[in-house]
Amino acid sequence: MPPAPADPPPAGVLTLEGPQDLLAALPYRLGFHPRRSLVLLELSPPDGDRGRRHALGVCVRADLPTGPDQVEDVARSAVLPWRQRTASGPAVLVVYADADPPGLPDEVAAVLRTVEGLLAVLGTGVHDVLAVGPRRWRSLRCASPGCCPPQGRPVAELAWGAVAAEAVLRGLVAAPSREALAPELAPLPATRLRAARRALVQAQRTAWTPG
């Protein structure tokens, strides 16, 4: 029996057909083009019959760790919104790194593993893991060279597709960086950032104990 056809999207809803469209749309969801970032994006479960499309749900962004001592703090802060949700769909993990895939710095690979472990404790699966570098991107879950060649796909192609064209037609704008979005969003000084992370870990330590 052939699969049930997907319902047509409501008027005004942009349909994303795959990871390339998702990456092209993500800067407009965040309001800026992320750099050195970890993004967790929820795929809300479709309502009704099978064949319905997922919708984009919770979207969380965190700065990548700069060393192994920051991995757990970054992972916990990124996964925190999932703890308040009684039901949620799978997550897509997107990492914007300084290196092109498939190579990732050790602390970036470690934070991805830690996030997946925390999500598993909460009963949330991971639908895909996407890595975006300065020049290339690829799915770290895809083994097909046809859609995900080992060297990745050009980042430049994200600006060529239907999502970018639709954004222009709708007048959507994504700032070139988080700092350009608003001065108050510039990164905190390192001393304040470390203090904030210590406070967050201390406040969550008991709540994060499994069981």
Side-chain angles (χ1 to χ4, degrees), residues 32-35 37 61 63 175-188:
F32 60 92
H33 290 268
R35 300 172 185 169
S37 295
R61 191 209 68 89
D63 291 333
S177 68
R178 184 170 179 262
E179 293 78 9
L181 182 63
E184 61 268 22
L185 293 181
L188 292 171

Side-chain angles (χ1 to χ4, degrees), residues 140-207:
L140 301 183
R141 291 285 181 88
C142 179
S144 171
C147 61
C148 294
Q151 72 275 15
R153 304 184 68 90
V155 168
E157 73 181 7
L158 301 177
W160 301 341
V163 171
E166 185 71 19
V168 171
L169 290 174
R170 297 188 186 192
L172 301 178
V173 176
S177 68
R178 184 170 179 262
E179 293 78 9
L181 182 63
E184 61 268 22
L185 293 181
L188 292 171
T191 53
R192 290 185 60 192
L193 188 59
R194 285 195 295 269
R197 283 174 173 151
R198 284 196 299 269
L200 177 65
V201 171
Q202 186 62 35
Q204 297 174 5
R205 192 175 300 279
T206 302

Side-chain angles (χ1 to χ4, degrees), residues 101-172:
L104 290 175
D106 291 344
E107 63 271 15
V108 175
V111 80
L112 288 174
R113 291 193 300 269
T114 305
V115 165
E116 289 202 56
L118 293 174
L119 289 174
V121 170
L122 298 175
T124 299
V126 174
H127 177 75
D128 204 351
V129 181
L130 306 175
V132 185
R135 294 171 298 276
R136 299 190 300 273
W137 70 272
R138 82 181 308 272
S139 167
L140 301 183
R141 291 285 181 88
C142 179
S144 171
C147 61
C148 294
Q151 72 275 15
R153 304 184 68 90
V155 168
E157 73 181 7
L158 301 177
W160 301 341
V163 171
E166 185 71 19
V168 171
L169 290 174
R170 297 188 186 192
L172 301 178

Side-chain angles (χ1 to χ4, degrees), residues 41-135:
L41 185 64
E42 177 195 12
L43 300 180
S44 295
D47 297 325
D49 298 332
R50 65 188 176 93
R52 292 287 299 273
R53 295 178 173 89
H54 288 78
L56 300 185
V58 173
C59 183
V60 181
R61 191 209 68 89
D63 291 333
L64 287 180
T66 57
D69 58 319
Q70 297 179 358
V71 166
E72 188 171 350
D73 294 352
V74 171
R76 288 177 182 271
S77 63
V79 176
L80 184 61
W82 268 258
R83 295 183 60 243
Q84 281 81 41
R85 300 176 68 78
T86 57
S88 63
V92 175
L93 278 54
V94 186
V95 60
Y96 292 85
D98 291 334
D100 287 318
L104 290 175
D106 291 344
E107 63 271 15
V108 175
V111 80
L112 288 174
R113 291 193 300 269
T114 305
V115 165
E116 289 202 56
L118 293 174
L119 289 174
V121 170
L122 298 175
T124 299
V126 174
H127 177 75
D128 204 351
V129 181
L130 306 175
V132 185
R135 294 171 298 276

